[in-house]
Amino acid sequence: MKATYRLTANPAEANALSEMSVLPGIVPGVINDLESIDWAVLEHAYGPGKEVPGWLRGMVSPDPDVRNEAFSNFYGKALHQGSVYSSTVASLPFLFAKADDPATPDRGAVVALLLSIGREVIEAEEIYAVICGPDGEESTIYPDTANLMREHANAFVSYASDPDARVRRAAIEGLGLFLDDAERAVALLRDRLEEESGAAERGLVVRTMADLVLRLPAAAGPVRSWFDALVDNGALDPDTRLAALVHRTRCAPESIDDQTVPKVILLLHEVTPSPQAEEDRPSTGPCTCEAEPEPDSDVPGHIAAAFDDLERHGRVHAPTTSLLVAFHEALGARFDDRAALLIEQLRSPDPGTRYDAIDMARCVITSWRGDHTHLVQLIGDCLQPHDSYISAAAAEALGKLGALAEPAREVLAAYIAEHRPDAWASPHRVQRRAHQQAVVALAGLGDERALPSLLIALDNDTDAWRAVNAVGHLPQAAAELTPRLMRRLADVDHSREWPDVSPTALASVLAALGDPAAVPALTDAFQAAIRHKQWRTAEPLLKALASFGPRAASALDIVRPLTDTGSTDVRTAAAAAVWELERRPGRVVPLLERLLDHHRNFDAIDLAGRIGPPAAPVLPRLRQILNEQAEENARNESNDAAVLNTGNAWTLVHTASALWDIAGDSEADTVVSALLNAWKDNDSTARDVLACLNRMGQAAHPALPRIHTALAQPHRGDDRWSGAVAFDLEIERLCRSLVTRLQDLPEAAPTGEK
């Protein structure tokens, strides 16, 4: 059997794969045949695959460090972020040979790698039926490799009954992924549950059975009955019963009723460790964790912290966590049920359960609208002086909630008050992180009680980058903060690509504080960035200067020359700054006419809107941009375009908003229509659309039905990016304001959505 690949632009790679004898007839000595393949014409994520044979040999080394490095390299390069490459596929016969050989060390790790490859191609085969590389070559590598793995499902059947528990554990999931005979797969998994005694393996069998149903609906009837029998079997261990109940809801969410969550909570109580005796509980004294090693001076603090966060957020602290995450996903919009479960989790006597519940609660609060006061308070209750590890997680979660953390304000302040402000620079790693996160969260609420610790940070340079990102919420303390930030800005070495404290962050914070004393420092920094041709930092520094308006007029002589030099972005930022600093349309509108030659120059379009009616000379160009975009959208719809260009929606929003701000009522119908079309095509434009509708007043009345719909939706949208909560709260505020103003107006003729 040979895999078939269609690689029209790389015949050498295609030949190397097609000539490879794939899988049947593998013998233990196949590892010696590695040199029979021309690995140099195959690829991994970072180039030619000539290193792959060394990794495959390293996986069978007697030295565990060599084996670990080999697996790490393969995952990082030949299976980079789940992508499969020609060298990955060429490795399969050798990996299967090693998995089959009882003498192979770490056979479980080999089987787990095979499973990872199979899982990725199974999940991706429908999306990437044909993929194109950078040179235009086409490949059917995902569906071909998925079929290949299915053809060798029997290997996983064998591994799943292997005497080595690590091999069995790695193979069980393959029974649900690669077997296309639903009846056989169900029978094998039922047998595995009876044979396995470990809680982890039994839970994996139950989860795999649910995955099988989701992949092969023909298995649904017998599997759901099996789940019900497991749940009702009081003689069965509670871990397996809990897994069965959770995974039944994944397969049949319509089966969720008023008793489902109470049953889960009861089973959760049974599997949760008993509370510690009073004498065994940790003392409430100061943290006794080891001092943190000095960070690498060549790595900026915010970069090192980001990697620490990634590692920490990948940890699981309780055996029930993966089950509860799956259950919350199955519950979806049943907010009351999810809140009831989270209350139990956050009150659990098991610290691992409480720790993992913090982020689950944060996800619910940031993803779903509603009254989250109780959940926020329970997260706040996790701020305990005797447990800095959980406290740090709670404080970080509260910081991500923004204004929604208000019910925990006093708890945050009390936690910070337990220590001196110099706890910001504590030598104890976990205690330092907990204190810093609590300070940042309190500052995010605009509370000046966070200030003493932030001043310590700015004065002694310990994690100053974190303090800089927080102080912009405390404009009432500008007199104390601005001089410190100015000194930091003056000390920035603009010849360095990545300074520890970004001049961009400093500029943003100084603009937020609004103290005009910062203007000279911003001007000097801007000049330094220009001298070093650091355009990436020059532009935000210029925008910060512009935020001070005429109070920064002293910088005009430096800014004006840039309106006719440098990149389009710099010229646009310079034109905007000239407008803000002196407010003379006659100087700026002629610049705008040139800048608008590129219809996606949103900053220039926005500048035209801020200038307002005096920018009337650019109205024909704005109308042209709007018409061109409408025509492009119509062509896309007529061609049934599969991929939406979200930039099109933003072009509509920016252009229509400027059109309203310049021309007003005469363009009302055109503007409302464009805004509603943009909102329909790209929901992330909602805040900008609503901001313009809010400025339009009564002219926005045709948009009222869409505003009602937006206000009624329970979901906030994507919570993965910073500021998502504030974004949604602003949407809600604008919707309520518009409803109040428009709902009693007489019905207007509807503005059509094209």
Side-chain angles (χ1 to χ4, degrees):
M1 174 72 67
K2 292 183 179 180
T4 302
Y5 296 89
R6 182 157 53 88
L7 295 169
T8 57
N10 193 342
E13 185 181 56
N15 289 337
L17 287 168
S18 63
E19 291 174 3
M20 183 180 70
S21 179
V22 180
L23 303 185
I26 287 175
V27 294
V30 76
I31 197 70
N32 298 320
D33 296 333
L34 283 169
E35 299 308 324
S36 65
I37 294 175
D38 188 356
W39 295 94
V41 303
L42 304 178
E43 293 183 344
H44 58 56
Y46 297 101
K50 56 188 177 182
E51 304 161 286
V52 177
W55 302 337
L56 294 170
R57 289 193 181 94
M59 291 177 193
V60 294
S61 168
D63 185 336
D65 291 335
V66 173
R67 295 199 301 270
N68 289 338
E69 183 178 1
F71 280 109
S72 177
N73 280 323
F74 195 97
Y75 275 107
K77 297 178 181 178
L79 195 60
H80 177 64
Q81 296 182 349
S83 295
V84 171
Y85 304 87
S86 53
S87 66
T88 322
V89 183
S91 303
L92 288 174
F94 306 102
L95 292 172
F96 272 100
K98 288 185 285 188
D100 289 343
D101 187 354
T104 299
D106 290 347
R107 285 180 64 224
V110 176
V111 175
L113 176 55
L114 282 166
L115 179 70
S116 295
I117 295 170
R119 184 194 302 115
E120 295 297 341
V121 295
I122 292 287
E123 291 178 355
E125 64 177 327
E126 292 185 6
I127 303 172
Y128 303 113
V130 176
I131 59 173
C132 293
D135 297 323
E137 72 272 17
E138 292 183 345
S139 169
T140 56
I141 193 168
Y142 283 101
D144 288 344
T145 309
N147 288 333
L148 188 150
M149 297 298 291
R150 283 190 283 262
E151 289 164 6
H152 296 87
N154 283 337
F156 286 88
V157 174
S158 174
Y159 304 148
S161 58
D162 195 272
D164 187 334
R166 292 169 299 178
V167 173
R168 295 200 307 275
R169 189 181 307 123
I172 287 170
E173 188 179 344
L175 302 181
L177 276 175
F178 307 131
L179 282 167
D180 282 337
D181 184 337
E183 185 176 351
R184 183 186 180 207
V186 169
L188 286 167
L189 286 167
R190 294 182 68 160
D191 289 346
R192 282 265 45 87
L193 189 72
E194 294 178 5
E195 295 291 332
E196 296 292 350
S197 58
E201 289 79 11
R202 291 168 69 82
L204 184 55
V205 170
V206 174
R207 191 192 80 191
T208 301
M209 193 74 93
D211 292 340
L212 177 69
V213 171
L214 294 173
R215 186 172 70 87
L216 300 176
V223 169
R224 290 178 187 175
S225 299
W226 182 70
F227 280 146
D228 290 339
L230 293 179
V231 172
D232 295 336
N233 185 353
L236 199 61
D237 63 281
D239 300 84
T240 303
R241 294 175 64 203
L242 177 62
L245 180 53
V246 166
H247 289 297
R248 185 191 68 181
T249 64
R250 288 181 59 218
C251 298
E254 71 280 0
S255 69
I256 300 173
D257 57 28
D258 292 343
Q259 296 305 308
T260 304
V261 170
K263 285 181 182 177
V264 167
I265 290 172
L266 286 174
L267 288 168
L268 189 60
H269 288 168
E270 290 189 48
V271 302
T272 299
S274 300
Q276 290 176 294
E278 189 68 35
E279 61 271 17
D280 295 331
R281 293 182 183 174
S283 69
T284 57
C287 175
T288 58
C289 49
E290 293 183 5
E292 181 183 28
E294 286 298 317
D296 186 339
S297 59
D298 293 331
V299 179
H302 63 288
I303 300 295
F307 279 101
D308 283 347
D309 287 345
L310 282 174
E311 189 278 327
R312 187 169 49 255
H313 292 164
R315 299 176 195 165
V316 174
H317 300 78
T320 55
T321 293
S322 60
L323 273 178
L324 293 174
V325 168
F327 189 50
H328 277 291
E329 290 176 355
L331 288 173
R334 300 174 69 104
F335 172 71
D336 290 343
D337 283 339
R338 297 183 70 177
L341 179 58
L342 283 167
I343 289 169
E344 293 295 327
Q345 293 175 248
L346 289 166
R347 288 174 170 171
S348 172
D350 174 49
T353 300
R354 292 199 305 277
Y355 186 99
D356 290 345
I358 289 169
D359 198 57
M360 292 187 217
R362 178 197 63 79
C363 287
V364 167
I365 296 168
T366 55
S367 299
W368 298 91
R369 295 171 176 171
D371 183 359
H372 301 294
T373 300
H374 195 189
L375 287 180
V376 174
Q377 289 171 337
L378 288 173
I379 295 175
D381 289 344
C382 292
L383 290 163
Q384 297 294 330
H386 65 269
D387 194 335
S388 294
Y389 189 72
I390 291 182
S391 295
E396 182 181 8
L398 291 170
K400 291 179 179 178
L401 298 183
L404 295 176
E406 179 62 38
R409 178 193 290 265
E410 295 307 316
V411 176
L412 281 165
Y415 180 80
I416 293 168
E418 289 280 339
H419 309 98
R420 291 161 51 93
D422 58 9
W424 180 280
S426 168
H428 301 294
R429 179 177 188 174
V430 180
Q431 186 182 75
R432 181 170 76 244
R433 185 166 63 87
H435 182 83
Q436 290 182 2
Q437 294 287 6
V439 168
V440 168
L442 190 62
L445 294 171
D447 197 309
E448 205 165 349
R449 286 174 287 185
L451 184 61
S453 294
L454 294 172
L455 295 180
I456 291 283
L458 295 175
D459 289 341
N460 74 6
D461 210 33
T462 299
D463 294 334
W465 61 271
R466 180 168 277 150
V468 167
N469 289 335
V471 296
H473 299 284
L474 300 173
Q476 68 271 36
E480 292 182 88
L481 292 169
T482 299
R484 291 172 166 86
L485 296 169
M486 289 168 57
R487 285 196 295 271
R488 288 198 162 272
L489 189 58
D491 290 341
V492 168
D493 181 356
H494 290 275
S495 66
R496 287 185 61 189
E497 185 69 18
W498 300 106
D500 190 32
V501 178
S502 160
T504 299
L506 289 166
S508 174
V509 170
L510 286 168
L513 293 177
D515 186 345
V519 168
L522 287 167
T523 304
D524 292 343
F526 173 65
Q527 288 181 290
I530 294 296
R531 281 197 306 273
H532 290 282
K533 297 183 178 180
Q534 292 282 11
W535 305 110
R536 182 176 52 82
T537 56
E539 187 181 347
L541 285 164
L542 186 52
K543 288 181 177 179
L545 271 173
S547 72
F548 288 93
R551 294 178 296 174
S554 58
L556 270 170
D557 290 341
I558 298 166
V559 175
R560 277 201 194 101
L562 292 174
T563 61
D564 198 30
T565 188
S567 68
T568 300
D569 290 342
V570 173
R571 291 200 307 274
T572 304
V578 168
W579 165 252
E580 299 296 345
L581 299 184
E582 63 176 356
R583 300 297 177 93
R584 294 177 65 179
R587 290 186 182 270
V588 180
V589 173
L591 301 175
L592 267 180
E593 293 174 341
R594 296 196 300 273
L595 292 170
L596 288 173
D597 285 344
H598 191 293
H599 76 284
R600 291 279 168 78
N601 190 343
F602 295 154
D603 285 344
I605 294 172
D606 292 346
L607 174 57
R610 290 200 301 277
I611 293 172
V618 303
L619 279 173
R621 175 60 183 144
L622 293 176
R623 294 189 187 103
Q624 180 186 11
I625 293 171
L626 208 59
N627 290 335
E628 289 172 351
Q629 193 59 72
E631 291 171 3
E632 182 178 338
N633 289 350
R635 285 195 301 272
N636 288 342
E637 287 189 7
S638 65
N639 294 332
D640 194 24
V643 179
L644 171 68
N645 184 345
T646 56
N648 294 351
W650 284 109
T651 301
L652 291 177
V653 172
H654 287 277
T655 310
S657 298
L659 206 59
W660 169 262
D661 292 332
I662 297 169
D665 286 333
S666 64
E667 298 285 349
D669 289 345
T670 299
V671 169
V672 172
S673 178
L675 292 175
L676 290 177
N677 280 321
W679 195 357
K680 177 188 68 176
D681 289 341
N682 184 356
D683 200 55
S684 64
T685 63
R687 183 176 60 173
D688 294 76
V689 168
L690 287 163
C692 183
L693 292 173
N694 198 43
R695 295 195 300 275
M696 293 179 72
Q698 295 187 9
H701 191 265
L704 191 56
R706 181 67 179 86
I707 295 167
H708 276 299
T709 300
L711 193 56
Q713 71 180 27
H715 201 273
R716 292 192 193 278
D718 193 343
D719 75 328
R720 291 173 294 180
W721 54 275
S722 177
V725 170
F727 184 99
D728 188 71
L729 291 175
E730 177 67 5
I731 287 174
E732 286 190 278
R733 185 192 68 78
L734 288 168
C735 282
R736 291 192 181 98
S737 172
L738 281 160
V739 167
T740 300
R741 294 163 62 191
L742 301 178
Q743 63 184 354
D744 295 328
L745 294 175
E747 196 67 39
T751 298
E753 293 188 12
K754 298 179 183 177

